[in-house]
């Protein structure tokens, strides 16, 4: 039995749940990994010089044992997230530390502590097997998976699953991730695959869409409302391309920051009008490695006021971190919110606290999304209210190059990866709905 037999069943389009259940599992499958004995390979190099193409491998690995509450999924497509870039350059930490720690939780979690880490935090595919106690899903179901893995044994996470003390990001802090032909997930991660999308389109939004939803829309984030001015860094990138859509769909006014004409055009085509090209306008928020330049914050703020008719921003959608955070705090209006989920350019932020407390601003930390938020974010994709921002698709063996593109900011929106899917464009079930949204679905393609 090989993964090829699984693919045949999926491509037949009419295999029943019983057919899938009768398919024997393969012994092994192809997966994108990093190796524990290579975590020091980039020692001494600058972050930008650490090359994911050198650390990312395509290996044949055994199928993991299936536990209670879990599902094995045949992965048709996945996507590259920045967390896979972090994993592949072993920054800020090697992810093997996460796997070792998870391995100590129980007999079952010990499976995750291996000398290789199968990475990837998105998937679209078909359920192959479910473990004991799983009733909501069955073999043959077409699904996407969100990346929140929780144990839920502590009451801390019972209101907001992100607050579980054993909260982990699947495929980053757990093993058996989505950049592979088969993945292991907790069944609570599964959600229906949007029927109007192909496998690679369906796999693209998951992580970033859910994160942007919590960060911007949810009551756990900035609670954006109609008319809000929302400053969005990296507005055509992974997170930003969804934040821009949420702002537009929610009646807010996105002020999109990008770094090229091409990216400005994409934001315009989404419907944004206020766009700042940070490259063309040459903002230098840091005079040198240790000193910021408040005059540049002010110049940036003036530009925002020009674009908004004199208003400051209600919300800053932050993730670049050290390079932009001082400016983000400065340009926020009195009583406004800076909501941050990352620190791509450095995690030791500096800002002038007088502008925070005297103007009663708040900083909110946000991370991925709870079960419900991830479900709501996926529902918006399924209803055609928010669209995938897939630009380019790579084969599984070229994942290293895909991660390199994201690391070096050479990409737009999201970069997809075909896992079992032999070509792009497969898996669409609702052609009528697709036709209605086809321009939006293709907006980021090949730009
Ligand atoms: C969805 C996608 C998301 C993304 O892409 S996010 C971007 C990628 N992610 C990252 O870059 C984050 C990577 N993770 C990290 O860098 C680290 O993961 C953290 C800095 C978040 C945490 O560091 P750590 O060392 O794992 O955890 P500690 O909490 O510092 O625990 C170490 C020890 O310190 C103890 N401790 C924690 N808080 C306190 C306290 N307040 N007072 C005293 N001790 C404390 C703990 O218990 C533990 O102890 P003991 O080693 O014995 O288990
Ligand atoms: N906590 C969480 O749950 C999550 C955290 N993240 C983290 O968020 C970060 C961004 O992820 P994602 O959006 O997918 O990545 P992308 O690389 O797809 O997009 C980020 C965009 O930010 C802009 N950017 C990058 N560096 C800077 C800088 N120094 N100053 C200003 N703008 C910058 C770039 O746009 P341009 O060049 O056009 O300005 C880039 O396209 C990563 O660190 C990731 O790990 C991501 C998802 C979830």
């Amino acid at each position: 039995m090989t993964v090829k037999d699984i693919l045949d069943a999926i491509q037949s389009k009419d295999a029943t749940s019983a057919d899938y259940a009768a398919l024997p599992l393969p012994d092994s499958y192809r997966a994108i990994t990093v190796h524990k004995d290579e975590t020091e390979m980039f020692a001494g190099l600058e972050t930008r010089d650490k090359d994911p193409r050198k650390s990312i491998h395509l290996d044949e690995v055994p199928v993991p044992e299936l536990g209670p509450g879990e599902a094995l999924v045949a992965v048709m497509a996945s996507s590259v997230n920045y967390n896979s870039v972090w994993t592949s350059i072993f920054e800020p930490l090697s992810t093997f530390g996460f796997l070792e720690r998870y391995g100590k939780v129980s007999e079952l979690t010990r499976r995750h502590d291996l000398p290789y880490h199968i990475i990837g935090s998105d998937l679209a595919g078909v359920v192959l097997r479910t473990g004991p106690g799983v009733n909501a899903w069955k073999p043959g179901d077409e699904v996407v998976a969100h990346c929140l893995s929780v144990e839920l044994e502590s009451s801390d996470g019972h209101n907001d699953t992100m607050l579980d003390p054993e909260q982990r990001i699947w495929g980053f802090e757990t093993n058996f991730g989505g950049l592979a032909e088969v993945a292991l997930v907790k069944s609570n991660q599964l959600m229906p695959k949007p029927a109007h999308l192909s496998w690679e389109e369906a796999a693209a939004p998951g992580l970033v869409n859910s994160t942007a939803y919590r960060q911007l829309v949810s009551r756990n984030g900035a609670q954006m409302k109609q008319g809000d001015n929302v400053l969005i860094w990296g507005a055509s990138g992974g997170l930003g391309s969804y934040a821009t859509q949420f702002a537009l769909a929610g009646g807010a006014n996105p002020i999109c920051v990008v770094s090229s004409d091409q990216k400005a055009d994409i934001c315009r085509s989404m419907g944004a009008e206020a766009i700042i090209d940070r490259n063309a306008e040459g903002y230098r928020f840091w005079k040198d490695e240790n000193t910021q330049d408040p005059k540049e914050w002010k110049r940036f703020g003036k530009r925002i006021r020009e674009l908004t008719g004199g208003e400051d921003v209600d919300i800053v959608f932050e993730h670049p971190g050290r390079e932009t955070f001082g400016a983000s705090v400065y340009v926020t209006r009195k009583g406004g919110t800076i909501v941050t989920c990352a620190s791509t350019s450095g995690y030791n932020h500096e800002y002038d606290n007088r502008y925070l407390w005297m103007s009663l601003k708040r900083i909110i930390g946000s991370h991925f999304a709870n079960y419900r938020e991830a479900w709501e974010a996926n529902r918006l994709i399924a209803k055609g209210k928010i669209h995938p921002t897939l630009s380019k698709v790579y084969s599984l063996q070229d994942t290293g190059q895909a991660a390199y593109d994201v690391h070096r900011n050479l990409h737009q929106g999201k970069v997809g990866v075909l896992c079992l899917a032999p070509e792009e464009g497969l898996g669409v079930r609702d052609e009528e709905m697709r036709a209605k949204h086809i321009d939006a679905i293709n907006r980021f393609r090949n730009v």
Side-chain angles (χ1 to χ4, degrees):
M1 181 69 196
T2 66
V3 287
K4 171 81 177 54
D5 301 296
I6 296 169
L7 182 58
D8 288 345
I10 296 172
Q11 289 199 284
S12 77
K13 276 197 164 184
D14 52 10
T16 63
S17 182
D19 294 335
Y20 280 101
L23 278 178
L25 289 175
D27 293 331
S28 64
Y29 63 98
R30 295 187 315 151
I32 291 299
T33 64
V34 292
H35 294 176
K36 195 170 192 172
D37 61 5
E38 291 184 349
T39 57
E40 292 304 316
M41 70 190 293
F42 298 132
L45 292 181
E46 293 290 328
T47 297
R48 65 172 278 115
D49 297 328
K50 298 180 180 177
D51 188 340
R53 294 172 298 190
K54 296 190 174 144
S55 54
I56 282 180
H57 302 279
L58 180 61
D59 290 334
E60 191 76 24
V61 296
V63 174
E65 184 195 335
L66 179 65
E70 295 179 340
L72 280 169
V73 181
V75 184
M76 293 300 276
S78 181
S79 82
V80 173
N81 283 293
Y82 215 101
N83 65 351
S84 292
V85 174
W86 294 122
T87 306
S88 68
I89 61 173
F90 309 107
E91 284 195 24
L93 305 164
S94 150
T95 49
F96 288 98
F98 302 145
L99 302 186
E100 282 165 21
R101 197 181 284 183
Y102 192 28
K104 292 192 181 113
V105 171
S106 71
E107 270 300 304
L108 205 61
T109 65
R110 189 135 41 100
R111 289 167 303 167
H112 291 257
D113 183 7
L114 293 169
Y116 57 88
H117 186 184
I118 303 168
I119 64 176
S121 302
D122 274 316
L123 71 71
V126 179
V127 174
L128 288 177
R129 289 283 191 282
T130 55
V134 179
N135 303 304
W137 302 97
K138 58 184 188 320
D141 285 344
E142 297 187 352
V143 293
V144 290
H146 69 66
C147 63
L148 173 57
S149 166
V150 281
E151 307 304 311
L152 282 185
E153 291 187 294
S154 156
S155 64
D156 288 358
H158 289 177
N159 254 351
D160 176 0
T161 41
M162 278 305 293
L163 300 186
D164 189 86
E166 298 293 341
Q167 179 273 319
R168 290 180 174 80
I169 298 299
W170 161 70
F172 179 63
E173 291 156 308
T174 78
N175 218 322
F176 315 120
L179 286 162
E181 293 173 332
V182 174
L184 180 75
V185 298
K186 291 188 187 272
S187 67
N188 287 343
Q189 290 175 240
L190 297 175
M191 305 186 291
K193 171 190 165 289
H196 65 300
L197 299 178
S198 66
W199 297 111
E200 63 281 3
E201 289 161 358
L207 183 148
V208 282
N209 182 45
S210 310
T211 305
Y213 182 79
R214 181 179 176 111
Q215 197 175 345
L216 202 53
V217 180
S218 161
R219 73 177 70 137
N220 292 311
Q223 302 186 74
M224 183 194 75
K225 61 185 189 315
Q226 290 176 25
D228 278 353
N229 290 315
V230 184
L231 179 71
I232 302 173
W233 291 103
S236 71
L239 287 167
S241 57
Y242 294 88
T244 301
Q245 292 187 67
F246 284 128
L248 290 165
N253 174 34
I255 295 115
C256 295
V257 187
V258 292
S259 64
S260 71
D261 273 350
Q262 206 180 21
K263 291 181 173 187
D265 284 344
I266 296 182
C267 292
R268 241 172 248 121
S269 79
M270 281 192 278
E273 290 171 7
I275 295 164
I276 298 177
D277 181 338
R278 65 183 172 101
N279 227 0
E281 298 181 22
Y283 297 104
R284 292 280 170 272
F285 299 130
W286 291 83
K287 284 189 214 167
D288 59 48
E289 222 168 272
N290 302 310
T291 326
Q292 295 203 60
D293 185 351
K295 284 207 196 80
E296 284 290 272
W297 300 346
K298 194 165 205 163
R299 183 164 76 92
F300 185 58
K302 272 174 96 173
R303 181 77 181 109
I304 292 169
R305 287 179 178 180
E306 273 169 32
L307 292 167
T308 58
E311 294 178 343
D312 294 331
V313 295
D314 299 275
I315 299 168
V316 182
F317 186 84
E318 245 294 336
H319 50 88
R322 182 170 173 83
E323 200 158 311
T324 55
F325 205 82
S328 292
V329 170
Y330 179 80
V331 301
T332 302
R333 69 174 288 184
K334 257 186 191 256
T337 303
I338 302 98
V339 60
T340 174
C341 76
S343 292
T344 313
S345 65
Y347 48 73
N348 285 317
H349 297 185
E350 272 181 32
Y351 63 89
D352 184 335
N353 199 39
R354 293 170 302 171
Y355 290 108
L356 190 86
W357 100 70
M358 293 298 284
S359 294
L360 302 104
K361 305 178 189 185
R362 35 184 119 185
I363 296 170
I364 297 179
S366 190
H367 185 40
F368 188 58
N370 64 32
Y371 276 177
R372 183 66 199 168
E373 289 159 344
W375 187 279
E376 287 171 359
N378 183 57
R379 176 173 168 271
L380 291 171
I381 301 280
K383 286 187 169 295
K385 305 272 185 202
I386 301 291
H387 302 286
T389 60
L390 186 66
S391 58
K392 198 167 176 183
V393 179
Y394 283 91
S395 64
L396 192 58
Q397 61 263 32
D398 290 332
T399 301
Q401 181 63 42
Y404 176 86
D405 287 2
V406 174
H407 181 31
R408 300 301 286 266
N409 199 14
L410 302 171
H411 67 302
Q412 320 276 359
K414 289 289 302 175
V415 177
V417 174
L418 295 182
C419 299
L420 279 171
E423 61 195 77
E424 294 179 37
L426 305 175
V428 177
R429 293 272 181 187
D430 186 343
E431 294 285 359
E432 200 182 327
M433 178 170 173
R434 181 178 181 80
K436 254 198 239 167
H437 298 292
I438 194 67
D439 291 344
I441 293 169
N442 285 332
R443 183 169 285 132
F444 279 67
R445 293 309 295 255
N446 306 314
V447 283

